[in-house]
Amino acid sequence: MFSTLGGWQTVGLLLLSNVFMTFAWYGHLKGLATKPWWIAALISWGIALFEYLLQVPANRIGHGAGFTLAQLKITQEVITLAVFVPFAVYYMGEPLKLDFLWAGLCLLGAVYFIFRSA
């Protein structure tokens, strides 16, 4: 899957879409903490639009490149954690925890089982 152009396009688009979605879901906790929740929600929806403009083609390209639905989902989850950890540590100022490593190892196990028959 990843050796094809479509596979790499899928991963790249999912990576970019996750950056937008992470900011849409959690960025308001820092940047808009003093604003009413509905303002944060409207701004988050605006950011999430860009996430969907990247995520939908990523999944279409990936499915066309031979990813199964389960493989697309697990790929998405691995990318989510890869984006979330730096966001939490560098943008939000959260401490880096060993639990991030354990979660990553669990996801690597999921990747193994979903992709082993491919």
Side-chain angles (χ1 to χ4, degrees), residues 20 23-26 28 32 39-49:
F20 281 105
F23 275 94
W25 281 15
Y26 304 108
H28 62 87
L32 301 170
I39 290 175
L42 289 173
I43 291 170
S44 292
W45 286 342
I47 295 169
L49 171 64

Side-chain angles (χ1 to χ4, degrees), residues 11 13 15 32 34 46 48-50 69 77 86 113-115 117:
V11 170
L13 288 169
L15 182 66
L32 301 170
T34 60
L49 171 64
F50 294 102
L69 190 60
E77 294 304 329
F113 286 112
I114 290 298
F115 281 92
S117 62

Side-chain angles (χ1 to χ4, degrees), residues 8-9 21 23 25 37 45 52 83 87 90 111 118:
W8 286 110
Q9 286 176 327
M21 201 61 192
F23 275 94
W25 281 15
W37 73 266
W45 286 342
Y52 277 95
V83 169
F87 171 85
Y90 296 112
V111 168

Side-chain angles (χ1 to χ4, degrees), residues 9 17-18 23 34 42 52 56 70 72 74 91 94 96 111 117:
Q9 286 176 327
S17 75
N18 260 275
F23 275 94
T34 60
L42 289 173
Y52 277 95
V56 170
L72 284 169
I74 292 301
Y91 183 76
E94 297 280 325
L96 183 61
V111 168
S117 62

Side-chain angles (χ1 to χ4, degrees), residues 54-106:
L54 297 166
Q55 178 267 338
V56 170
N59 284 327
R60 286 177 170 245
I61 292 168
H63 196 260
F67 283 85
T68 66
L69 190 60
Q71 290 170 337
L72 284 169
K73 183 60 182 167
I74 292 301
T75 302
Q76 169 71 30
E77 294 304 329
V78 169
I79 291 170
T80 296
L81 188 61
V83 169
F84 178 77
V85 171
F87 171 85
V89 173
Y90 296 112
Y91 183 76
M92 296 297 290
E94 297 280 325
L96 183 61
K97 295 182 176 184
L98 200 54
D99 289 342
F100 293 144
L101 174 64
W102 305 136
L105 290 174
C106 288

